[in-house]
Structures are given as structure tokens and as C-alpha cells.
Amino acid sequence: MTFVAKPKVHHPRLPLNDIGLTRRDYEGSVSTLCAGCGHDSVSAAIVQACAELSIPPHRFAKVSGIGCSSKTPSYFLSKSHGFNSVHGRMPSIATGANLANRELYTIGISGDGDSASIGLGQFSHIVRRRINMAYIVDNNGTYGLTKGQFSATNDKGSTSKRGAPNLYEPIDLVSLAIQIGASFVARSFSGDKKQLVPLIKAALMHKGMAFIDVISPCVAFNNHNGSTKSYDYVREHRETVVAADYVPHAEEITADYEPGTTERINMPDGSILQLHKLAQDYDPHDRVAALHYVQSRQAEGEVVTGLLYLDPNPMDCHDILGTVDTPLNQLNEADLCPGNAALGSVNASFR
Amino acid sequence: MKPTNIFDPNYFHKVVDCQWACPAHTPVPEYIRLIAQERYTEAYMLNWDSNVFPGVLGRTCDRPCEPACRRVRTEEKPVAICRLKRVAADNKGDISAWLPRIPKIKNGKKVALLGAGPASLAVARDLMPMGYEVHIFDKETKGGGFMRSQIPAFRLPEEVLDDEVDIILNLGVEQHFGFEVKSMKAMLDMGFDAYFIGTGAPRGRDLDIPGRKEVSANISIGIDWLGSVAFGHTTSIKGKVIVMGGGNTAMDCCRTAVRLGAESVKVVVRSALDVMKASLWEKEDAMSEGIPILNNRPPKEFVHENGLLKGIVFEVLRPVTGADGKLRYEPSGEPDEFIECDHVLMAIGQENHCPWIERDLGIQFDKWDCPVLNDTTLQSTLPKVFFGGDSAFGPENIIWASAHAHRAAISIHLFLTGKDLLNDRPPEHINLVSAKMGTHEWAYDSEHDAAPRYLVPHADKKKALADIKLEVELGFDRELGAKEAQRCLNCDVQTVFTDKLCIECDACVDICPMDCITFTENAEEDELRLQLTAPANNRQQDLYVSKGLKTGRMMVKDEDVCLHCGLCAERCPTNAWDMQRSVVLVPQLGSQAGC
Ligand SMILES: Cc1cc2nc3c(=O)[nH]c(=O)nc-3n(C[C@H](O)[C@H](O)[C@H](O)COP(=O)(O)OP(=O)(O)OC[C@H]3O[C@@H](n4cnc5c(N)ncnc54)[C@H](O)[C@@H]3O)c2cc1C
Ligand SMILES: Cc1ncc(C[n+]2csc(CCOP(=O)(O)OP(=O)(O)O)c2C)c(N)n1
Ligand code: SF4
Ligand code: SF4
Ligand code: SF4
Ligand SMILES: [Mg+2]
């Protein structure tokens, strides 16, 4: 950690985004995590993604649970809304926030302990409910904050820093998310911002539950030779199947890819998501095949990354519930309590 | 690109922008830290070691270091490097214990220094500790050269100059004041083992336009006039004065004329305001004293009535920047301008001029009448004769005189010990010492201070204009000096990268406030400069490139706007980054770098 605050001065030629802000305007306070923690890179990627999207910082809501990962919302978007909740309970808060104000861009930050151990129930149900948010797990295979116990995503047979093996099967959050209703599922690596930043942008602009599992090494407790979540292991065993590229305006598409390898998806706001297939036969719209591929590679110790699954017809909870377009927190008393007559007719409709 | 060789002494020296720009390579950040620690005497001696006249230079230096200062690039205004030097000088204690020990038994060789300006004095300072018998000759009665005769007392009080001249003379230099050198041959006949010519560039240029001869009585050559003011021969100037020229002589002439009672003073210059030779601050000082500067006006003719000067006619031009970026002057279409005046101070340049050097002694001169010299050794075509200061390549300034002197002194020493002046010349070195003291503790103040440059307090203008000896600038007091010192970025505390330790976690990239660091694939420099986190389009600043890392990428750091804040090193989990203080060892006789 650092005691010295990051100086406010910035590079004299730092680019401005469409609303005249620099990337530095999206930062938070200085991190208190261990030097070299992957989580800090994820925060930096979020900062860059939000700045590049040119969304004003106050339009974001950041919510988290407990853990080193869940501390990170302090380190980005200091001018946004935030709630640091209790262990494993981020999904409840995120659900409430999104129901109350559907216009905010909701970023949920959690850890593998927070989401796969204590919070697995909440995780499952927020995914099923398809809350419109970017749900990011900083996955280091350990409880960093409580000094390095195995978490539920730690691979069987991988060891602790002292050499003791993990005896339990891992929970794969990506597979679970694909299975139970997430419409955007990706895996990435904190050490690869080129891949991660476009994924975060796409996740934020995606309408529905967008889940990203980011392998984010814990330098203090899980970056040793027996770990499958270390910088070295991930770099050696990583395979990217689909690279995403978020393009804010259609006319900006310049790069030419080999025909048949690139797919363009129109996003609700007029922007475009380009998918570049790096693995020949991988189809990111086929749920069952995606699950199969991820699982079979995992069985061989490989880590599949990139955009793994994208629902061609996504829906979010507001679509499912049929809520009004106006955010609920902006409705006035008359709208919310339309009176006896209205209640009568509602009741009548059920008779 | 190839990996950077950080052990090349020039690599990190260049990163210390101020020190690199200083002709004498004064270790600026080190003395600024000493000031911050209230160690004024040590700060003074560090300066004295490399630039010889800290008290004088802290008031008058041309300060090439300041436009080079990194803070110009990270914000706008440089650290007040020059005025901090003065803080060290104003607050220094007794320095006698710090002065070099001079051998009582001499080494048997005698060296003559002609002229007692800064160049010769600095050569004397360097040669004395080596046991030479040093003789200094000057036509004036005191040492200091132009520092005494040209720089007005309101910029440089006499006591400050006396103090620094005496420090050197008191090392035991044999003094021959009131000695005008009239013949080089006669000097050679005196049988010295080596000669250093530091007689300056004492001839002021004149202007031959119609009417010049007729009005001689009303025209003074600027440097001669300033000299006569300095020595008390001229005490007033009457009527309306025009100063012609745009360099520092012009600025000193106009400000002196105002103080000597001129009815009005105007500076009229051929060139445009921002390309005038005078430094920005000199122009500002003149203008703040109410002196108008009229630009783009070449003179055409002196107007007189029966030999009595009435004024000058100037052409009025318009500066235009051509497509090639060069400035040209076009007719403006405005009519010529007549400006009334009673007296003209001609400050349009000087020349080196040594009519007393006979041309058959083997000392060759080129077509501009400058001596033919070896650029590195400053040796002339007569091996025992060396030049330095303004006499070498034409008018420069005090800090260049000091720099030349160090070079010439080394040459003289090599020459007199039978060594080769080029091959046996001691090389530059660099020492790197880690500044790490603990997890978050550095042996320097790493935190960035965003304060804007502090202003130097000035004397009351009315009083200053009434008294030619009253120093205009009051200098920073200790408190302001301490504050200004905090603005220094400590560019000599270097970011040093060890490729083998890096795990490519990106922590340094993420924390760096200035986007200096990138991990990327190798490419040619032009391409590489564009593919960094922030485009590196300042080609004057180097890229620090590592060897290939585990992922096949390499670390590239753009040195351009690094704050030397040490955050990269604080965030690095493996100490692949370390902050290391670099000490540039510039060879110099009698200094700790020795030879
Ligand atoms: C008006 C003016 C203002 C200036 N202001 C600044 C300033 O603010 N800052 C700055 O850095 N520089 C300034 N300079 C420039 C600076 O003064 C010179 O560059 C510097 O003094 C050169 O040093 P020097 O030792 O080569 O020669 P000088 O300082 O010129 O010394 C030469 C000495 O040689 C003596 N001499 C010459 N001929 C003979 C002879 N035949 N016999 C015996 N003795 C002889 C002279 O009497 C003199 O003492 C200024 C110059 C002028 C004209
Ligand atoms: C209800 C509750 N149970 C247990 C804890 C102790 N605890 C704090 S953080 C943590 C694990 C965090 O692990 P993870 O979410 O993976 O975060 P990391 O620190 O690894 O980023 C635990 C068990 C707690 N704070 N609250
Ligand atoms: S303990 Fe691990 S997860 Fe927590 S801050 Fe340190 S490196 Fe990051
Ligand atoms: S010292 Fe390191 S962190 Fe600070 S500006 Fe320089 S490269 Fe960046
Ligand atoms: S912080 Fe250190 S280990 Fe991490 S990328 Fe930078 S230099 Fe390498
Ligand atoms: Mg964890």
C-alpha cells in the first residue's frame, strides 16, 4: 500500500473524452491494497473503460461486499454513487439500486469468496433475475483480506503458499452464470487490459446481467508456484476464444478482419459490439456448446478467456417485470398511490 | 529499440534537465535539497565547486537551466533555480574550513592568466590546489572583469562580487593589477609555462549610418558607458535617451540611464520583442520600471542641426513567420518614424578583440578574428596558450566562462604534466545509490508539491529608481526559499528498472500519475513513441527501454514528464523499480571528482 496520494497533475497531453474529462477524473482515492495486487489493475481498467465511454461519473452506482476486491470501489469513480455492503450481500443492494433507478450504470464488485463462498446464494439469484448491471468478480482463488484461506473457486490440487493442497472441487462462476440466465458472460485477466477494458465497456452497455470473472492474482497469498491463479500460471495456460471490441459509433469501424471471423452486434444505444473469433469453431451464442467448451478446457487445466457467451435476445429484470420507463425514484406520490378507484380496478382484474 | 544502457553517464545526466543544461553542470537538485534542509553552507560550497560564483550567479546568471527545468513541461513555470542559489549564498556561514588546501610547496610550474574576469579567476581557483604558481594580470585595479564593470550595482552589489573574487585571490594568486597587456610577445618572453587568455570581448559594436560622425559627442558605446558609470566617472545623463539594441547590455543601459536622471528613456530594437537577445526577465524588469521597448525598427539616420543631435529616423517593419518557421521582416507600409533624443546609448553587440596579440607568434585567428581553438581542450595553435570565456568564441556569459575555465584548467594540467590533452582527459562518471530507506520511506522528499512558482520580493520601486546602488531584487528569505525548494522534482533521483524482477503486474503503470510507463511489444523508435500509454512526442527526451520480459514485451518509460515521485517503486511488489540517486561526476581539477 501507499501513504502518498497520487498527485493530481497529469500528462499534459492526456486525451479528453467526449464530455471534456480525462481518465484521471474517473479515478478514486489511492489504493490501500498490497502493491502488485491484480485488483488494482481491474480498478484501473474500470477507470479507463468508464472514461472512454464518456459517461459522467455521477451516472454510475458502484456496489460491493467484503474483501480486498470489495474495497476497490473506493479506488475508482470517486464522484459516483457507492455502497460497500456486507459479506456476500452486494447482490441485494445492487438489485435495490437498479430497481429504484434504472438509469444508473450499476457496477457490482465482488470477490471469489464474496460471491462463490458466503454469497453464492445471492449471486445465483441476482443472475437469475437478470439485473441490468456489470457484475465483476476479482477472482484470486483465495480470501485475500483474511490472509489466504482457500476460496470456493480455488482449483482442486492447487496448493496454499505453504504447500498444503486444496481438497475440494472448485465452483466455476462462469459456468454457473451461463447456466442460470446471465446474458453476457466473459472471463478475463487483470494483467491484460487490452482484453479487459473493451469487455468492461461492452458489459456496461449491455442491457441485462453482464458477468465478468477476472482472474486477478493475489500477490501476497496466491501467486506462488503451486497456484493456478498466479500471474505466471494464467499467462501460460490462457486461451482467448472471442475478443470483444466496443465501438461507440458505427462509422468508426475501420479495421478489417478476415471475413467470417468478425460479427457485429448492434447495441440498444446505437453503438456496436464487434466479436472477433480467435478459436475457429467457437460459437458465443450457443449456451450449451459454450458450457461444454469452457468445462472441457478447464478439465485440462487451461483457462478460457474472452467473451464466452452472449444471449442474442437479452432481457433485463425491468423487461421481465414490465416496470415503467421512468425510474421508480422519480415517480411522484400521485403516480405511486393512484387512489381507491385504480386499486379497485386492479383488484377487479384478478377476479 | 535496443535496451537502454543506464550506465552510460550521459543517460541519467540528461534526465536531470537543469544540470544537463547548465554549462558547468551544477548539481542543482542536490543543492536545492540542502537548502530545504537549511544546510546553506554546504549548498553554497556545492555550487562554488562547480560554478565558482554562486553569489554573483544567484543574482545574474543567464540561467539556461530554468527553461530546461522539467516543471516547465509538467506545469509551466520552472523552479526558481537561480534565486535559490542566492538563498544559499545569502545564508551561508563561514566557509573557510571548506576551501581547498593549497600546497605550500609549489610544483615548479608557472601559469599566467591574462585578464581577471570570471574565466581567469575560475582557472586560478582550479589550478591553485594543484600546486601551480598562478599569476593574474589585469589593467583594472580590481578583479571581476565585466561582472564589475558592466553589471550594474542595482543587480549585483559590489560586496557580493568582492567577496567571491577575494575568496579566489586569497588562495594565494600572484596579482598584477593595473597591468595592461600591450604585447603577447612580451608576455611570452616572461617565460611562463602556460598562458590562459581571459581578456573577454571588450569592444562594443558601432553603427555606420548617415549622421553618425556628426553627432559623435552625443553617442556612447553602451559597454564603455556602463564601465564608466561603474567606476564612478559618469554620474548623470541628461535629456531624452534612446538605447539602441535588444540584448542584456541594452537592458542594463536603459535601467541605468533612468537612475542617472534621464528625462526619458526608450529602447528601440531592430527585432521583434520575443526574439530579442535579452532574457525574458530582463525585459520584464525594464518594462516594469516604465521603460518602453519599441520593436521592429531598424535605424536609418541620425538627425542633427549643426552637429547637435535631434533624434533618429527609424524604419517600421512587420515581423512575419514564413512557412519554414523562420522569422522575416517585411515593410509594414507605415511611414518612417522620427524619435526625438539628446543622447544615444549604442548597445548592439560586442566583439572579441586582441590587437595586442601579434599575429606572428603562431596563435592563429579565423576570419571573424576569433582564435582558432580545439573545442574540447580550448588550446590555441600555440600549444602553451589557452583561451576561455568571452575571448574564446565571442560574448557569452558568466556561467559559460566558469565552464570554459574548468575545461581549460584540465587541459593546462594535462599539458604541464606531459599528458595527451584529448586521450588522457578524465571521463565523466555516474554513481547510483538507492534512495530506499523503508517500505514507504525515501531518502528524499518524494511527494509532489503542486505550488506555483513563488515570486521574488522587490525593493520599493520609487526608492530603487532613485538609487543606482540599491539592489532591486531582495531575494527569497529562508522561508520562501524553503517553500520554493519543495517545488523541485528531484530529477536526480532516478527510476531504475530491473527486468529480471518484474512480474508484469501493471501496478506501476496504474499508479503513475504521468502515464510514463508502458509494457509493450518492441518496435522502431518512431513507432514505439506512438504506441505508449501517452504519446511520447517530445523527441528531446529519451525512452528508457528494458530487455525483453517474460511475456515477450518490454518496459518502456518516457522520461519526458516523470515527476520522480517514486510511486512506481512504492507500488512495485518485487522492487523491480527502485529510486536511485544519481551523482554525475564531472571531471574538474581540485573538486571531489578530481582527475
Ligand atoms: C552590460 C552587460 C551585462 C551583462 N550581464 C550579464 C549577466 O547578467 N549575467 C551573465 O552571466 N553575464 C552577463 N554579461 C556577460 C558577462 O559579463 C561576460 O560574459 C563575462 O564577464 C565574460 O567573462 P571573461 O572572464 O571572459 O571576460 P571579462 O569579464 O570581460 O573579463 C576580462 C578582463 O580582462 C581585462 N582585460 C582585457 N584586455 C586586457 C588587457 N589588454 N590587459 C589587461 N587586462 C585586460 C579586463 O579589464 C577584464 O577585467 C553581461 C555583459 C554585459 C556587457
Ligand atoms: C459475515 C462475514 N463472514 C466472514 C467475514 C470475514 N471475511 C472478510 S473478507 C473474507 C473473504 C474475502 O474473500 P474474497 O471475496 O475472495 O476477497 P479478496 O480479499 O480475496 O479479494 C472473509 C471470509 C466477514 N467479514 N463477514
Ligand atoms: S491480500 Fe491479496 S487480494 Fe488482498 S490486497 Fe493483498 S494481494 Fe490483493
Ligand atoms: S517516478 Fe514513477 S510513478 Fe512517478 S511519475 Fe515517474 S515513472 Fe511515474
Ligand atoms: S510494478 Fe513492478 S513487477 Fe509490476 S509491472 Fe511494474 S515493474 Fe513489473
Ligand atoms: Mg478472493
Side-chain angles (χ1 to χ4, degrees):
Chain A
M1 63 186 272
T2 307
F3 300 119
V4 177
K6 184 165 172 174
K8 289 272 177 282
V9 323
H10 59 70
H11 194 286
R13 291 174 292 279
L14 200 60
L16 297 178
N17 66 11
D18 292 348
I19 55 171
L21 300 179
T22 73
R23 173 162 50 73
R24 299 292 303 279
D25 296 313
Y26 291 78
E27 286 181 345
S29 55
V30 71
S31 167
T32 58
L33 301 184
C34 302
C37 178
H39 301 356
D40 282 335
S41 288
V42 181
S43 300
I46 293 172
V47 165
Q48 193 180 331
C50 295
E52 286 176 7
L53 286 173
S54 294
I55 298 169
H58 70 269
R59 299 277 315 281
F60 291 94
K62 45 181 190 182
V63 280
S64 64
I66 293 293
C68 297
S69 33
S70 293
K71 283 171 73 179
T72 64
S74 294
Y75 317 140
F76 58 82
L77 290 172
S78 59
K79 297 188 187 84
S80 67
H81 310 277
F83 200 113
N84 186 186
S85 72
V86 283
H87 204 13
R89 272 44 180 172
M90 177 271 274
S92 313
I93 303 298
T95 305
N98 184 259
L99 281 179
N101 186 353
R102 60 186 296 172
E103 282 180 352
L104 290 179
Y105 293 87
T106 307
I107 305 175
I109 301 288
S110 180
D112 43 323
D114 197 57
S115 279
S117 300
I118 193 171
L120 187 62
Q122 293 232 335
F123 170 79
S124 308
H125 291 288
I126 196 171
V127 173
R128 283 184 68 241
R129 284 177 182 149
R130 303 186 167 199
I131 300 297
N132 180 12
M133 70 184 294
Y135 190 128
I136 298 173
V137 167
D138 292 346
N139 185 354
N140 53 13
T142 189
Y143 297 168
L145 192 70
T146 52
K147 308 257 170 289
Q149 301 81 358
F150 291 127
S151 79
T153 66
N154 195 287
D155 288 314
K156 191 174 175 192
S158 104
T159 71
S160 72
K161 208 175 172 180
R162 292 253 175 103
N166 172 26
L167 305 173
Y168 303 102
E169 286 295 334
I171 292 173
D172 180 30
L173 291 175
V174 154
S175 302
L176 198 55
I178 295 176
Q179 240 178 0
I180 60 181
S183 43
F184 176 115
V185 180
R187 174 143 54 210
S188 189
F189 172 44
S190 68
D192 183 1
K193 286 205 196 65
K194 263 194 201 146
Q195 182 190 54
L196 180 55
V197 171
L199 283 175
I200 294 175
K201 287 203 274 186
L204 280 165
M205 301 315 288
H206 176 80
K207 190 166 176 251
M209 168 51 69
F211 174 70
I212 311 179
D213 179 36
V214 188
I215 314 289
S216 169
C218 169
V219 282
F221 301 110
N222 205 14
N223 192 37
H224 46 84
N225 286 340
S227 163
T228 56
K229 301 260 188 301
S230 66
Y231 282 106
D232 284 351
Y233 187 92
V234 179
R235 286 202 168 106
E236 275 157 34
H237 295 86
R238 195 153 76 102
E239 179 202 358
T240 302
V241 285
V242 176
D245 186 7
Y246 176 80
V247 191
H249 310 288
E251 65 272 19
E252 282 173 17
I253 295 178
T254 48
D256 263 335
Y257 289 89
E258 264 179 61
T261 62
T262 295
E263 183 192 350
R264 291 187 182 143
I265 293 162
N266 296 317
M267 307 281 272
D269 64 336
S271 58
I272 285 187
L273 181 60
Q274 295 200 94
L275 304 184
H276 312 297
K277 277 188 218 166
L278 305 175
Q280 282 276 301
D281 312 316
Y282 193 87
D283 178 1
H285 305 303
D286 183 337
R287 242 166 128 174
V288 178
L291 260 176
H292 176 76
Y293 191 81
V294 169
Q295 292 280 317
S296 60
R297 300 300 291 150
Q298 194 155 305
E300 291 178 27
E302 298 299 306
V303 184
V304 180
T305 66
L307 183 55
L308 305 177
Y309 175 67
L310 186 67
D311 188 335
N313 304 303
M315 273 184 112
D316 83 335
C317 79
H318 288 280
D319 299 333
I320 297 168
L321 295 177
T323 52
V324 287
D325 287 345
T326 313
L328 301 187
N329 68 341
Q330 287 171 29
L331 296 180
N332 56 30
E333 205 183 328
D335 292 331
L336 291 167
C337 302
N340 257 338
L343 181 63
S345 70
V346 171
N347 284 341
S349 72
F350 290 112
R351 289 211 175 90
Chain B
M1 281 183 79
K2 290 214 180 64
T4 303
N5 174 16
I6 57 165
F7 298 105
D8 172 350
N10 280 346
Y11 182 74
F12 280 142
H13 188 175
K14 252 181 103 175
V15 173
V16 197
D17 297 285
C18 47
Q19 185 173 11
W20 181 253
C22 174
H25 302 309
T26 304
V28 174
E30 178 66 15
Y31 85 66
I32 291 183
R33 278 193 297 273
L34 289 170
I35 290 170
Q37 295 161 16
E38 299 178 37
R39 290 159 69 188
Y40 303 109
T41 311
E42 282 132 295
Y44 180 83
M45 290 315 294
L46 198 66
N47 270 288
W48 189 79
D49 198 52
S50 60
N51 56 49
V52 197
F53 306 100
V56 171
L57 288 165
R59 295 167 162 85
T60 64
C61 189
D62 257 355
R63 18 174 162 156
C65 52
E66 290 194 12
C69 173
R70 182 171 298 262
R71 267 193 106 109
V72 174
R73 306 195 296 275
T74 63
E75 46 171 287
E76 198 188 333
K77 290 263 163 105
V79 174
I81 300 170
C82 181
R83 272 29 179 182
L84 284 172
K85 201 189 304 299
R86 174 172 171 181
V87 173
D90 287 354
N91 295 289
K92 69 174 191 294
D94 179 11
I95 61 163
S96 47
W98 300 80
L99 293 175
R101 303 268 171 272
I102 308 302
K104 289 223 168 59
I105 300 165
K106 299 291 165 189
N107 66 17
K109 304 272 188 204
K110 286 166 46 173
V111 181
L113 312 178
L114 313 191
S120 291
L121 287 167
V123 173
R125 205 275 316 254
D126 284 6
L127 290 180
M128 286 305 294
M130 309 304 290
Y132 290 98
E133 187 181 316
V134 177
H135 292 252
I136 201 161
F137 298 86
D138 200 296
K139 62 175 160 38
E140 303 297 345
T141 54
K142 280 176 134 186
F146 268 16
M147 300 191 293
R148 189 178 299 283
S149 66
Q150 297 295 315
I151 302 181
F154 58 82
R155 284 209 289 131
L156 175 60
E158 202 175 357
E159 316 82 73
V160 175
L161 179 61
D162 284 346
D163 180 39
E164 292 190 331
V165 170
D166 288 346
I167 293 173
I168 298 170
L169 294 177
N170 293 342
L171 296 175
V173 179
E174 301 285 342
Q175 302 164 31
H176 308 272
F177 285 111
F179 184 116
E180 177 165 8
V181 180
K182 295 204 171 103
S183 155
M184 187 64 196
K185 183 165 180 314
M187 295 308 291
L188 291 172
D189 288 344
M190 289 164 84
F192 285 94
D193 297 292
Y195 294 81
F196 175 80
I197 298 183
T199 47
R203 190 167 73 168
R205 286 220 184 92
D206 204 344
L207 186 69
D208 193 18
I209 54 170
R212 169 68 183 86
K213 278 191 203 71
E214 291 81 344
V215 298
S216 285
N218 306 102
I219 296 186
S220 306
I221 298 296
I223 59 170
D224 298 341
W225 184 76
L226 285 173
S228 105
V229 173
F231 295 120
H233 308 314
T234 298
T235 50
S236 71
I237 188 165
K238 301 233 153 47
K240 302 187 179 73
V241 176
I242 289 183
V243 176
M244 293 173 71
N248 47 23
T249 308
M251 297 303 110
D252 284 340
C253 281
C254 67
R255 295 178 70 193
T256 302
V258 165
R259 285 166 172 76
L260 288 192
E263 183 188 315
S264 74
V265 180
K266 290 190 174 77
V267 177
V268 189
V269 201
R270 246 169 215 284
S271 54
L273 186 67
D274 35 329
V275 298
M276 279 168 60
K277 273 203 145 172
S279 315
L280 177 68
W281 53 90
E282 289 180 303
K283 291 183 271 192
E284 282 172 0
D285 285 342
M287 292 191 281
S288 78
E289 292 180 355
I291 302 167
I293 299 179
L294 308 171
N295 295 88
N296 314 313
R297 284 166 172 75
K300 271 185 127 171
E301 164 179 22
F302 291 104
V303 180
H304 60 95
E305 266 168 31
N306 307 322
L308 190 68
L309 178 65
K310 287 285 160 199
I312 310 176
V313 178
F314 293 92
E315 197 179 338
V316 184
L317 298 179
R318 191 162 57 102
V320 274
T321 313
D324 55 358
K326 286 211 184 99
L327 192 66
R328 265 183 282 277
Y329 295 89
E330 286 178 350
S332 66
E334 286 174 44
D336 289 349
E337 188 176 352
F338 171 76
I339 304 178
E340 233 185 308
C341 71
D342 306 302
H343 204 116
V344 176
L345 297 173
M346 194 83 83
I348 55 171
Q350 315 141 236
E351 290 158 353
N352 33 357
H353 183 57
C354 312
W356 44 271
I357 302 183
E358 294 82 352
R359 303 294 142 129
D360 59 355
L361 300 173
I363 305 173
Q364 283 175 28
F365 286 81
D366 63 17
K367 59 179 171 192
W368 299 281
D369 218 23
C370 281
V372 176
L373 303 175
N374 178 299
D375 276 356
T376 309
T377 66
L378 300 177
Q379 190 177 37
S380 76
T381 51
L382 185 63
K384 63 166 76 159
V385 177
F386 300 81
F387 283 76
D390 287 359
S391 74
F393 307 108
E396 282 279 0
N397 51 37
I398 302 165
I399 190 66
W400 268 111
S402 304
H404 284 168
H406 296 320
R407 255 195 274 163
I410 291 175
S411 301
I412 292 170
H413 180 59
L414 292 170
F415 176 70
L416 295 179
T417 48
K419 301 227 174 81
D420 187 276
L421 268 54
L422 281 170
N423 295 330
D424 295 330
R425 242 184 151 67
E428 249 188 42
H429 284 289
I430 192 146
N431 275 352
L432 291 170
V433 191
S434 178
K436 198 173 175 77
M437 306 218 303
T439 321
H440 305 291
E441 251 183 300
W442 299 101
Y444 73 109
D445 230 333
S446 60
E447 211 166 329
H448 179 259
D449 184 339
R453 181 171 163 128
Y454 294 89
L455 293 178
V456 177
H458 278 215
D460 175 64
K461 195 161 122 188
K462 223 167 154 191
K463 280 194 196 139
L465 291 182
D467 179 356
I468 186 138
K469 297 228 152 146
L470 184 73
E471 189 172 17
V472 172
E473 281 195 19
L474 303 178
F476 289 134
D477 58 17
R478 290 181 179 212
E479 199 183 317
L480 273 176
K483 283 187 178 161
E484 182 64 25
Q486 283 310 112
R487 295 184 66 240
C488 173
L489 298 173
N490 300 287
C491 300
D492 61 342
V493 185
Q494 308 288 353
T495 54
V496 177
F497 182 76
T498 308
D499 46 56
K500 282 198 284 294
L501 294 177
C502 176
I503 57 169
E504 298 176 66
C505 69
D506 268 4
C508 52
V509 177
D510 297 337
I511 196 73
C512 177
M514 301 306 277
D515 289 302
C516 303
I517 306 170
T518 310
F519 288 87
T520 181
E521 280 71 37
N522 204 344
E524 286 306 318
E525 181 168 352
D526 290 337
E527 211 179 308
L528 200 53
R529 280 183 173 271
L530 299 176
Q531 72 193 39
L532 303 183
T533 321
N537 41 20
N538 181 358
R539 307 262 340 181
Q540 320 248 303
Q541 293 284 324
D542 286 336
L543 298 182
Y544 179 0
V545 176
S546 79
K547 289 206 198 104
L549 303 170
K550 259 194 186 161
T551 58
R553 301 177 302 172
M554 51 178 200
M555 185 290 301
V556 183
K557 182 196 164 203
D558 180 9
E559 298 283 8
D560 189 14
V561 290
C562 170
L563 301 176
H564 296 254
C565 65
L567 284 175
C568 49
E570 283 201 23
R571 295 301 297 177
C572 179
T574 64
N575 289 338
W577 282 114
D578 189 24
M579 302 306 291
Q580 300 189 0
R581 188 162 71 90
S582 60
V583 182
V584 185
L585 303 172
V586 183
Q588 197 179 297
L589 285 187
S591 115
Q592 80 266 38
C595 70

